[in-house]
PDB file of all heavy atoms in Angstrom:
ATOM      1  N   ASP A   1     105.658 222.006  98.783  1.00  0.00           N
ATOM      2  CA  ASP A   1     104.688 223.074  99.108  1.00  0.00           C
ATOM      3  C   ASP A   1     104.965 224.317  98.214  1.00  0.00           C
ATOM      4  O   ASP A   1     104.302 225.291  98.315  1.00  0.00           O
ATOM      5  CB  ASP A   1     104.719 223.454 100.548  1.00  0.00           C
ATOM      6  CG  ASP A   1     106.140 223.666 101.124  1.00  0.00           C
ATOM      7  OD1 ASP A   1     107.110 223.555 100.348  1.00  0.00           O
ATOM      8  OD2 ASP A   1     106.187 224.127 102.224  1.00  0.00           O
ATOM      9  N   TRP A   2     106.173 224.307  97.520  1.00  0.00           N
ATOM     10  CA  TRP A   2     106.397 225.620  96.755  1.00  0.00           C
ATOM     11  C   TRP A   2     105.892 225.509  95.235  1.00  0.00           C
ATOM     12  O   TRP A   2     105.967 226.561  94.667  1.00  0.00           O
ATOM     13  CB  TRP A   2     108.024 225.733  96.731  1.00  0.00           C
ATOM     14  CG  TRP A   2     108.759 224.740  96.140  1.00  0.00           C
ATOM     15  CD1 TRP A   2     109.257 223.656  96.736  1.00  0.00           C
ATOM     16  CD2 TRP A   2     109.176 224.766  94.749  1.00  0.00           C
ATOM     17  NE1 TRP A   2     110.077 222.913  95.711  1.00  0.00           N
ATOM     18  CE2 TRP A   2     109.938 223.541  94.589  1.00  0.00           C
ATOM     19  CE3 TRP A   2     108.847 225.471  93.540  1.00  0.00           C
ATOM     20  CZ2 TRP A   2     110.408 223.169  93.404  1.00  0.00           C
ATOM     21  CZ3 TRP A   2     109.447 225.098  92.301  1.00  0.00           C
ATOM     22  CH2 TRP A   2     110.209 223.911  92.190  1.00  0.00           C
ATOM     23  N   PHE A   3     105.368 224.391  94.825  1.00  0.00           N
ATOM     24  CA  PHE A   3     104.898 224.348  93.577  1.00  0.00           C
ATOM     25  C   PHE A   3     103.529 223.557  93.548  1.00  0.00           C
ATOM     26  O   PHE A   3     103.167 222.777  94.330  1.00  0.00           O
ATOM     27  CB  PHE A   3     105.802 223.765  92.521  1.00  0.00           C
ATOM     28  CG  PHE A   3     106.124 222.415  92.525  1.00  0.00           C
ATOM     29  CD1 PHE A   3     105.373 221.379  91.894  1.00  0.00           C
ATOM     30  CD2 PHE A   3     107.147 221.933  93.390  1.00  0.00           C
ATOM     31  CE1 PHE A   3     105.606 219.981  92.036  1.00  0.00           C
ATOM     32  CE2 PHE A   3     107.422 220.569  93.504  1.00  0.00           C
ATOM     33  CZ  PHE A   3     106.655 219.611  92.838  1.00  0.00           C
ATOM     34  N   SER A   4     102.753 223.765  92.361  1.00  0.00           N
ATOM     35  CA  SER A   4     101.574 222.922  92.158  1.00  0.00           C
ATOM     36  C   SER A   4     101.454 222.458  90.831  1.00  0.00           C
ATOM     37  O   SER A   4     102.170 223.014  89.823  1.00  0.00           O
ATOM     38  CB  SER A   4     100.244 223.765  92.335  1.00  0.00           C
ATOM     39  OG  SER A   4     100.215 224.839  91.607  1.00  0.00           O
ATOM     40  N   PHE A   5     100.943 221.253  90.638  1.00  0.00           N
ATOM     41  CA  PHE A   5     101.023 220.555  89.220  1.00  0.00           C
ATOM     42  C   PHE A   5      99.892 221.121  88.297  1.00  0.00           C
ATOM     43  O   PHE A   5      98.930 221.497  88.569  1.00  0.00           O
ATOM     44  CB  PHE A   5     100.748 219.186  89.333  1.00  0.00           C
ATOM     45  CG  PHE A   5     101.908 218.388  90.060  1.00  0.00           C
ATOM     46  CD1 PHE A   5     101.778 217.978  91.340  1.00  0.00           C
ATOM     47  CD2 PHE A   5     102.935 218.023  89.241  1.00  0.00           C
ATOM     48  CE1 PHE A   5     102.881 217.350  91.999  1.00  0.00           C
ATOM     49  CE2 PHE A   5     104.056 217.316  89.856  1.00  0.00           C
ATOM     50  CZ  PHE A   5     103.994 216.953  91.133  1.00  0.00           C
ATOM     51  N   ILE A   6     100.397 221.360  87.108  1.00  0.00           N
ATOM     52  CA  ILE A   6      99.543 221.849  86.059  1.00  0.00           C
ATOM     53  C   ILE A   6      98.913 220.553  85.327  1.00  0.00           C
ATOM     54  O   ILE A   6      97.703 220.644  84.937  1.00  0.00           O
ATOM     55  CB  ILE A   6     100.261 222.625  84.805  1.00  0.00           C
ATOM     56  CG1 ILE A   6     100.786 223.920  85.495  1.00  0.00           C
ATOM     57  CG2 ILE A   6      99.388 223.008  83.756  1.00  0.00           C
ATOM     58  CD1 ILE A   6     101.799 224.674  84.578  1.00  0.00           C
ATOM     59  N   ASN A   7      99.674 219.519  85.248  1.00  0.00           N
ATOM     60  CA  ASN A   7      99.206 218.173  84.784  1.00  0.00           C
ATOM     61  C   ASN A   7      99.309 217.100  85.820  1.00  0.00           C
ATOM     62  O   ASN A   7      99.198 217.455  86.875  1.00  0.00           O
ATOM     63  CB  ASN A   7      99.820 217.820  83.396  1.00  0.00           C
ATOM     64  CG  ASN A   7     101.461 217.677  83.541  1.00  0.00           C
ATOM     65  OD1 ASN A   7     101.926 217.832  84.525  1.00  0.00           O
ATOM     66  ND2 ASN A   7     102.020 217.394  82.338  1.00  0.00           N
ATOM     67  N   PHE A   8      99.750 216.057  85.457  1.00  0.00           N
ATOM     68  CA  PHE A   8      99.776 214.835  86.463  1.00  0.00           C
ATOM     69  C   PHE A   8     100.933 214.818  87.149  1.00  0.00           C
ATOM     70  O   PHE A   8     102.030 215.160  86.721  1.00  0.00           O
ATOM     71  CB  PHE A   8      99.543 213.596  85.582  1.00  0.00           C
ATOM     72  CG  PHE A   8      98.209 213.593  84.819  1.00  0.00           C
ATOM     73  CD1 PHE A   8      98.196 213.692  83.454  1.00  0.00           C
ATOM     74  CD2 PHE A   8      96.916 213.661  85.504  1.00  0.00           C
ATOM     75  CE1 PHE A   8      97.228 213.773  82.768  1.00  0.00           C
ATOM     76  CE2 PHE A   8      95.787 213.627  84.718  1.00  0.00           C
ATOM     77  CZ  PHE A   8      95.870 213.788  83.318  1.00  0.00           C
ATOM     78  N   ASP A   9     101.012 214.208  88.357  1.00  0.00           N
ATOM     79  CA  ASP A   9     102.300 213.984  89.098  1.00  0.00           C
ATOM     80  C   ASP A   9     102.777 212.545  88.884  1.00  0.00           C
ATOM     81  O   ASP A   9     103.905 212.188  89.462  1.00  0.00           O
ATOM     82  CB  ASP A   9     101.995 214.222  90.613  1.00  0.00           C
ATOM     83  CG  ASP A   9     101.015 213.220  91.271  1.00  0.00           C
ATOM     84  OD1 ASP A   9     100.225 212.580  90.363  1.00  0.00           O
ATOM     85  OD2 ASP A   9     100.981 213.114  92.464  1.00  0.00           O
ATOM     86  N   ARG A  10     102.013 211.778  88.095  1.00  0.00           N
ATOM     87  CA  ARG A  10     102.531 210.413  87.758  1.00  0.00           C
ATOM     88  C   ARG A  10     102.293 210.121  86.244  1.00  0.00           C
ATOM     89  O   ARG A  10     101.354 210.629  85.723  1.00  0.00           O
ATOM     90  CB  ARG A  10     101.810 209.346  88.585  1.00  0.00           C
ATOM     91  CG  ARG A  10     101.897 209.380  89.979  1.00  0.00           C
ATOM     92  CD  ARG A  10     101.211 208.261  90.733  1.00  0.00           C
ATOM     93  NE  ARG A  10     101.565 208.290  92.211  1.00  0.00           N
ATOM     94  CZ  ARG A  10     102.622 207.943  92.734  1.00  0.00           C
ATOM     95  NH1 ARG A  10     103.691 207.491  91.958  1.00  0.00           N
ATOM     96  NH2 ARG A  10     102.884 208.096  94.034  1.00  0.00           N
ATOM     97  N   GLN A  11     103.134 209.328  85.697  1.00  0.00           N
ATOM     98  CA  GLN A  11     103.022 208.929  84.318  1.00  0.00           C
ATOM     99  C   GLN A  11     103.609 207.538  84.176  1.00  0.00           C
ATOM    100  O   GLN A  11     104.501 207.174  84.986  1.00  0.00           O
ATOM    101  CB  GLN A  11     103.848 209.868  83.333  1.00  0.00           C
ATOM    102  CG  GLN A  11     103.426 211.348  83.506  1.00  0.00           C
ATOM    103  CD  GLN A  11     104.132 212.151  82.622  1.00  0.00           C
ATOM    104  OE1 GLN A  11     104.669 211.924  81.549  1.00  0.00           O
ATOM    105  NE2 GLN A  11     104.434 213.379  83.169  1.00  0.00           N
ATOM    106  N   GLN A  12     103.117 206.903  83.107  1.00  0.00           N
ATOM    107  CA  GLN A  12     103.657 205.619  82.749  1.00  0.00           C
ATOM    108  C   GLN A  12     104.201 205.672  81.328  1.00  0.00           C
ATOM    109  O   GLN A  12     103.373 206.112  80.426  1.00  0.00           O
ATOM    110  CB  GLN A  12     102.796 204.432  83.001  1.00  0.00           C
ATOM    111  CG  GLN A  12     103.419 203.181  82.729  1.00  0.00           C
ATOM    112  CD  GLN A  12     102.608 201.896  83.057  1.00  0.00           C
ATOM    113  OE1 GLN A  12     101.646 201.540  82.290  1.00  0.00           O
ATOM    114  NE2 GLN A  12     102.780 201.275  84.209  1.00  0.00           N
ATOM    115  N   ILE A  13     105.420 205.442  81.256  1.00  0.00           N
ATOM    116  CA  ILE A  13     105.972 205.386  79.803  1.00  0.00           C
ATOM    117  C   ILE A  13     106.756 204.118  79.484  1.00  0.00           C
ATOM    118  O   ILE A  13     107.100 203.313  80.461  1.00  0.00           O
ATOM    119  CB  ILE A  13     107.109 206.614  79.577  1.00  0.00           C
ATOM    120  CG1 ILE A  13     108.278 206.503  80.679  1.00  0.00           C
ATOM    121  CG2 ILE A  13     106.364 207.939  79.943  1.00  0.00           C
ATOM    122  CD1 ILE A  13     109.274 207.500  80.343  1.00  0.00           C
ATOM    123  N   GLU A  14     106.920 203.836  78.182  1.00  0.00           N
ATOM    124  CA  GLU A  14     107.712 202.713  77.875  1.00  0.00           C
ATOM    125  C   GLU A  14     109.101 203.091  77.283  1.00  0.00           C
ATOM    126  O   GLU A  14     109.139 204.092  76.462  1.00  0.00           O
ATOM    127  CB  GLU A  14     106.973 201.857  76.834  1.00  0.00           C
ATOM    128  CG  GLU A  14     105.840 201.042  77.404  1.00  0.00           C
ATOM    129  CD  GLU A  14     105.297 199.923  76.446  1.00  0.00           C
ATOM    130  OE1 GLU A  14     105.922 199.886  75.275  1.00  0.00           O
ATOM    131  OE2 GLU A  14     104.344 199.308  76.841  1.00  0.00           O
ATOM    132  N   VAL A  15     110.154 202.450  77.641  1.00  0.00           N
ATOM    133  CA  VAL A  15     111.449 202.848  77.168  1.00  0.00           C
ATOM    134  C   VAL A  15     112.120 201.556  76.622  1.00  0.00           C
ATOM    135  O   VAL A  15     112.286 200.617  77.118  1.00  0.00           O
ATOM    136  CB  VAL A  15     112.311 203.255  78.318  1.00  0.00           C
ATOM    137  CG1 VAL A  15     113.703 203.984  77.790  1.00  0.00           C
ATOM    138  CG2 VAL A  15     111.593 204.472  79.103  1.00  0.00           C
ATOM    139  N   ALA A  16     112.523 201.875  75.254  1.00  0.00           N
ATOM    140  CA  ALA A  16     113.032 200.769  74.493  1.00  0.00           C
ATOM    141  C   ALA A  16     114.418 200.426  75.034  1.00  0.00           C
ATOM    142  O   ALA A  16     115.028 201.168  75.724  1.00  0.00           O
ATOM    143  CB  ALA A  16     113.143 201.042  73.092  1.00  0.00           C
ATOM    144  N   PRO A  17     115.027 199.122  74.719  1.00  0.00           N
ATOM    145  CA  PRO A  17     116.216 198.792  75.113  1.00  0.00           C
ATOM    146  C   PRO A  17     117.332 199.802  74.540  1.00  0.00           C
ATOM    147  O   PRO A  17     117.137 200.278  73.422  1.00  0.00           O
ATOM    148  CB  PRO A  17     116.638 197.339  74.568  1.00  0.00           C
ATOM    149  CG  PRO A  17     115.227 196.939  74.155  1.00  0.00           C
ATOM    150  CD  PRO A  17     114.375 198.116  73.954  1.00  0.00           C
ATOM    151  N   ASN A  18     118.344 200.091  75.291  1.00  0.00           N
ATOM    152  CA  ASN A  18     119.394 201.139  74.846  1.00  0.00           C
ATOM    153  C   ASN A  18     118.829 202.386  74.333  1.00  0.00           C
ATOM    154  O   ASN A  18     119.322 202.928  73.206  1.00  0.00           O
ATOM    155  CB  ASN A  18     120.293 200.418  73.889  1.00  0.00           C
ATOM    156  CG  ASN A  18     121.042 199.203  74.490  1.00  0.00           C
ATOM    157  OD1 ASN A  18     121.669 199.508  75.473  1.00  0.00           O
ATOM    158  ND2 ASN A  18     120.834 198.061  73.930  1.00  0.00           N
ATOM    159  N   ALA A  19     117.756 202.920  75.000  1.00  0.00           N
ATOM    160  CA  ALA A  19     117.150 204.106  74.565  1.00  0.00           C
ATOM    161  C   ALA A  19     116.724 205.025  75.670  1.00  0.00           C
ATOM    162  O   ALA A  19     116.929 204.570  77.002  1.00  0.00           O
ATOM    163  CB  ALA A  19     115.984 203.797  73.674  1.00  0.00           C
ATOM    164  N   SER A  20     116.135 206.209  75.525  1.00  0.00           N
ATOM    165  CA  SER A  20     115.642 207.013  76.463  1.00  0.00           C
ATOM    166  C   SER A  20     114.419 207.628  75.982  1.00  0.00           C
ATOM    167  O   SER A  20     114.128 207.771  74.940  1.00  0.00           O
ATOM    168  CB  SER A  20     116.679 208.172  76.826  1.00  0.00           C
ATOM    169  OG  SER A  20     116.968 208.927  75.702  1.00  0.00           O
ATOM    170  N   GLU A  21     113.532 208.008  77.039  1.00  0.00           N
ATOM    171  CA  GLU A  21     112.235 208.666  76.824  1.00  0.00           C
ATOM    172  C   GLU A  21     112.127 209.647  77.868  1.00  0.00           C
ATOM    173  O   GLU A  21     112.663 209.538  79.071  1.00  0.00           O
ATOM    174  CB  GLU A  21     111.049 207.571  76.784  1.00  0.00           C
ATOM    175  CG  GLU A  21     110.993 206.663  75.773  1.00  0.00           C
ATOM    176  CD  GLU A  21     110.678 207.274  74.446  1.00  0.00           C
ATOM    177  OE1 GLU A  21     109.991 208.326  74.390  1.00  0.00           O
ATOM    178  OE2 GLU A  21     111.030 206.801  73.450  1.00  0.00           O
ATOM    179  N   ASN A  22     111.256 210.707  77.546  1.00  0.00           N
ATOM    180  CA  ASN A  22     110.876 211.804  78.556  1.00  0.00           C
ATOM    181  C   ASN A  22     109.497 211.583  79.153  1.00  0.00           C
ATOM    182  O   ASN A  22     108.593 211.325  78.392  1.00  0.00           O
ATOM    183  CB  ASN A  22     110.968 213.042  77.973  1.00  0.00           C
ATOM    184  CG  ASN A  22     112.477 213.542  77.542  1.00  0.00           C
ATOM    185  OD1 ASN A  22     113.354 213.033  78.139  1.00  0.00           O
ATOM    186  ND2 ASN A  22     112.571 214.392  76.725  1.00  0.00           N
ATOM    187  N   ALA A  23     109.434 211.779  80.524  1.00  0.00           N
ATOM    188  CA  ALA A  23     108.111 212.011  81.190  1.00  0.00           C
ATOM    189  C   ALA A  23     108.228 213.535  81.450  1.00  0.00           C
ATOM    190  O   ALA A  23     109.168 214.101  81.956  1.00  0.00           O
ATOM    191  CB  ALA A  23     108.086 211.301  82.485  1.00  0.00           C
ATOM    192  N   VAL A  24     107.123 214.202  81.066  1.00  0.00           N
ATOM    193  CA  VAL A  24     107.154 215.630  81.061  1.00  0.00           C
ATOM    194  C   VAL A  24     106.142 216.068  82.173  1.00  0.00           C
ATOM    195  O   VAL A  24     104.911 215.555  82.162  1.00  0.00           O
ATOM    196  CB  VAL A  24     106.776 216.226  79.730  1.00  0.00           C
ATOM    197  CG1 VAL A  24     106.694 217.893  79.991  1.00  0.00           C
ATOM    198  CG2 VAL A  24     107.614 215.863  78.709  1.00  0.00           C
ATOM    199  N   PHE A  25     106.589 216.859  83.201  1.00  0.00           N
ATOM    200  CA  PHE A  25     105.842 217.326  84.370  1.00  0.00           C
ATOM    201  C   PHE A  25     105.596 218.813  84.220  1.00  0.00           C
ATOM    202  O   PHE A  25     106.502 219.558  84.127  1.00  0.00           O
ATOM    203  CB  PHE A  25     106.391 216.958  85.731  1.00  0.00           C
ATOM    204  CG  PHE A  25     106.668 215.541  85.918  1.00  0.00           C
ATOM    205  CD1 PHE A  25     107.834 214.826  85.593  1.00  0.00           C
ATOM    206  CD2 PHE A  25     105.520 214.783  86.260  1.00  0.00           C
ATOM    207  CE1 PHE A  25     107.843 213.489  85.826  1.00  0.00           C
ATOM    208  CE2 PHE A  25     105.584 213.367  86.629  1.00  0.00           C
ATOM    209  CZ  PHE A  25     106.927 212.745  86.295  1.00  0.00           C
ATOM    210  N   GLY A  26     104.279 219.151  84.164  1.00  0.00           N
ATOM    211  CA  GLY A  26     104.073 220.595  84.300  1.00  0.00           C
ATOM    212  C   GLY A  26     103.708 221.119  85.638  1.00  0.00           C
ATOM    213  O   GLY A  26     102.908 220.497  86.302  1.00  0.00           O
ATOM    214  N   PHE A  27     104.330 222.235  85.896  1.00  0.00           N
ATOM    215  CA  PHE A  27     103.973 222.828  87.404  1.00  0.00           C
ATOM    216  C   PHE A  27     104.118 224.214  87.314  1.00  0.00           C
ATOM    217  O   PHE A  27     104.586 224.909  86.411  1.00  0.00           O
ATOM    218  CB  PHE A  27     104.952 222.092  88.349  1.00  0.00           C
ATOM    219  CG  PHE A  27     106.375 222.402  88.205  1.00  0.00           C
ATOM    220  CD1 PHE A  27     106.946 223.484  88.871  1.00  0.00           C
ATOM    221  CD2 PHE A  27     107.071 221.700  87.379  1.00  0.00           C
ATOM    222  CE1 PHE A  27     108.314 223.877  88.630  1.00  0.00           C
ATOM    223  CE2 PHE A  27     108.483 222.034  87.173  1.00  0.00           C
ATOM    224  CZ  PHE A  27     109.081 222.968  87.943  1.00  0.00           C
TER     225      PHE A  27
END
């Protein structure tokens, strides 16, 4: 209740083996 989303609250990303990726949430 203290924030609202600017973009989506859910995302689907692909992360390669032995790697990392970011999901970015705007609020």
